[in-house]
Amino acid sequence: MTGKKIITVFGATGAQGGAVADTFLNDPKLKDNWTVRAVTRDVTKDSAKKLESKGAEVVAADLNDKASVAKVLAGSYAVFAVTNYWEKLDRDLEVKQGKDIVDAAKETGVQHFIWSSLLNINKLSNGKFANVYHFDSKADVEEYAREVGIPSTFFLPGFYLSNVPDSFRPSPPNNAWTLSFPVTINATIPIFDTADTGKYVKAIVLNRDKLLGKRIYGATEYTSPAQLIEDFKKLFPEAGKTATYYQLPAETFKNYLKSVGMPDFAALELYENFQLFDEFGYYGGASLDETHALVEDKLTTWTDFIKKSTKFPADLK
Ligand code: NAP
C-alpha cells in the first residue's frame, strides 16, 4: 500500500482520459497523492504500454462487461469516466455503459464519480433538436447518477478544437483559407482542448466537497467563427489576408458527411449539434466564470492550439 488515492480513468488511451492520466501522473499537486489506474480493452497496445511506462497501473476492462468494470473500480477513490458514442453510434449502448459504471461505482464505494457529461438537448430545445443522441445519452447517465445518489461531479467538455482544422483549409476558387461550419459567422462556440481535460479534473478533485452534484463546463472561452478567423489572421498575416468564412448550407453539410460514410441519422445529429451554437446554446447559455475561478492552470486558446497543431503547414506566414 502506498497510501495514495486511486483514480481509475476510463478512456485512458483516448483524448479526454489520456489527458486526465497525464495530469494525475505529472502535476506537482497531484502526483504524490494519487495513483492512476488506466483502463483499456487492450493492455498490449502501444498507447497502453506508454501509460505504463509513465507510471500508470494499466488494467483491462470492457464497458460492455459490467463485471470487468466493477473489478477495476474496486479500491478506487475517484473515477473519471467517458464513453465513446461514435464507436458504435448507439445511444442505448452508451446509456447502458454509463449506468453500469454508476452501478459499479456505487457497489464498490467510489467516493468521487466524475462523469464526462453533456446536456439533454431534446429537453433544452423543447424537442426542436431531438436527434443529438450523444448529448442526451450522457445527460441520461448524469441523471441516473443523481438518482442513485453517488457522490458525483459532472464535467461537460466543450467543442473540441481538434475539430476545427479539418474545416479550415485553402479552398477554391482562389485558395483562400476558408473556415466552413453550418452556423452563422457570429455563432457562440465554447472551445475546448482535450489536452486540458486533466486541468479541469484536477480542479474537480481539489474542490471535491463544494463540487459534488455540480457541473463544470470544460471550455477556455466562448468564441465565434469570426473570432477564430481573426485570431488566425493575427498569427499568419500573409495567409490570413484572404481568410474567410463560409456558412455551409444544411444539405451541403449533411450530404458531405453521408458521402464519407456517415449514416443519415448521424449526419442529422451532427447538424443539429452545430445548431446549438446559434440556438439554445451548447451549454444552454451557462457562464464559464465558475469553472474559470476553480481551474488553476492556463487553458488552451485557439491561438495556442494552432501553434502546437501539426494540421497547419509549418511554414505558414
Ligand atoms: P477517444 O479519444 O476516441 O478514445 C475513446 C476511448 O474510449 C479509448 O480510450 C477507448 O479505449 C475507450 N473505449 C471505447 N469503448 C470502450 C469499451 N467498450 N470499453 C472500454 N473502453 C472503451 O475518445 P474521447 O475523444 O476522449 O471521448 C469521446 C467522447 O467525447 C464521445 O462520446 C463524444 O461524444 C464526446 N465529445 C466529443 C466532443 C467533440 O467535439 N468531438 C465534444 C464533447 C464530447 P480502448 O480502445 O483502449 O479500449
Side-chain angles (χ1 to χ4, degrees), residues 11 13-16 40-41 45 62-63 83 85 138 158 160 163:
T13 59
Q16 294 183 38
T40 171
R41 285 164 292 186
K45 68 199 238 188
D62 187 332
L63 292 173
T83 44
Y85 169 81
K138 294 178 180 76
Y160 284 16
N163 297 331

Side-chain angles (χ1 to χ4, degrees), residues 191-316:
I191 51 165
F192 164 65
D193 184 2
T194 55
D196 286 346
T197 313
K199 298 175 187 173
Y200 296 99
V201 176
K202 172 183 167 183
I204 290 172
V205 299
L206 292 179
N207 295 280
R208 175 188 179 274
D209 294 354
K210 84 173 167 205
L211 291 181
L212 290 179
K214 296 268 174 61
R215 289 182 177 141
I216 285 292
Y217 299 102
T220 304
E221 60 181 340
Y222 283 117
T223 187
S224 63
Q227 192 59 50
L228 292 172
I229 294 169
E230 275 315 300
D231 294 347
F232 178 86
K233 285 183 174 194
K234 270 190 209 132
L235 208 53
F236 305 119
E238 219 172 291
K241 266 185 205 148
T242 53
T244 185
Y245 183 64
Y246 176 59
Q247 180 175 348
L248 285 167
E251 289 314 310
T252 312
F253 177 75
K254 287 185 277 183
N255 287 336
Y256 167 73
L257 293 176
K258 291 180 209 172
S259 76
V260 294
M262 192 172 272
D264 291 14
F265 78 87
L268 174 62
E269 171 167 7
L270 270 187
Y271 176 73
E272 289 189 358
N273 190 172
F274 267 95
Q275 298 322 295
L276 297 173
F277 300 146
D278 273 316
E279 277 186 83
F280 304 107
Y282 184 101
Y283 291 140
S287 161
L288 303 176
D289 291 352
E290 194 192 351
T291 298
H292 292 167
L294 291 165
V295 174
E296 297 176 1
D297 305 286
K298 185 190 177 302
L299 296 169
T300 307
T301 63
W302 165 231
T303 300
D304 298 333
F305 185 85
I306 299 176
K307 285 184 187 161
K308 70 173 179 167
S309 172
T310 53
K311 293 269 179 105
F312 294 96
D315 58 354
L316 208 58

Side-chain angles (χ1 to χ4, degrees), residues 10-18 39-42 45 47-48 61-65 80 82-87 94 97 116-118 134-135 138 156-163 192 194 273 282:
F10 288 94
T13 59
Q16 294 183 38
V39 184
T40 171
R41 285 164 292 186
D42 178 5
K45 68 199 238 188
S47 49
D62 187 332
L63 292 173
N64 298 323
D65 169 10
F80 175 78
V82 57
T83 44
N84 185 11
Y85 169 81
W86 298 101
E87 188 171 304
E94 188 171 41
Q97 290 178 340
S116 184
S117 193
L118 287 168
H134 64 294
F135 273 56
K138 294 178 180 76
L156 282 70
F159 182 68
Y160 284 16
L161 279 170
S162 55
N163 297 331
F192 164 65
T194 55
N273 190 172
Y282 184 101

Side-chain angles (χ1 to χ4, degrees), residues 84-147:
N84 185 11
Y85 169 81
W86 298 101
E87 188 171 304
K88 293 276 197 278
L89 297 169
D90 184 337
R91 181 200 200 290
D92 294 342
L93 179 70
E94 188 171 41
V95 173
K96 178 165 188 330
Q97 290 178 340
K99 287 186 174 179
D100 280 352
I101 308 172
V102 171
D103 289 339
K106 171 115 183 162
E107 284 158 29
T108 53
V110 163
Q111 294 299 303
H112 201 181
F113 174 68
I114 303 161
W115 170 241
S116 184
S117 193
L118 287 168
L119 297 185
N120 185 317
I121 300 307
N122 196 1
K123 279 189 196 155
L124 178 73
S125 69
N126 296 315
K128 180 169 182 183
F129 299 131
N131 301 285
V132 192
Y133 306 117
H134 64 294
F135 273 56
D136 297 358
S137 51
K138 294 178 180 76
D140 284 357
V141 176
E142 172 176 330
E143 199 178 319
Y144 184 68
R146 291 181 191 277
E147 272 166 31

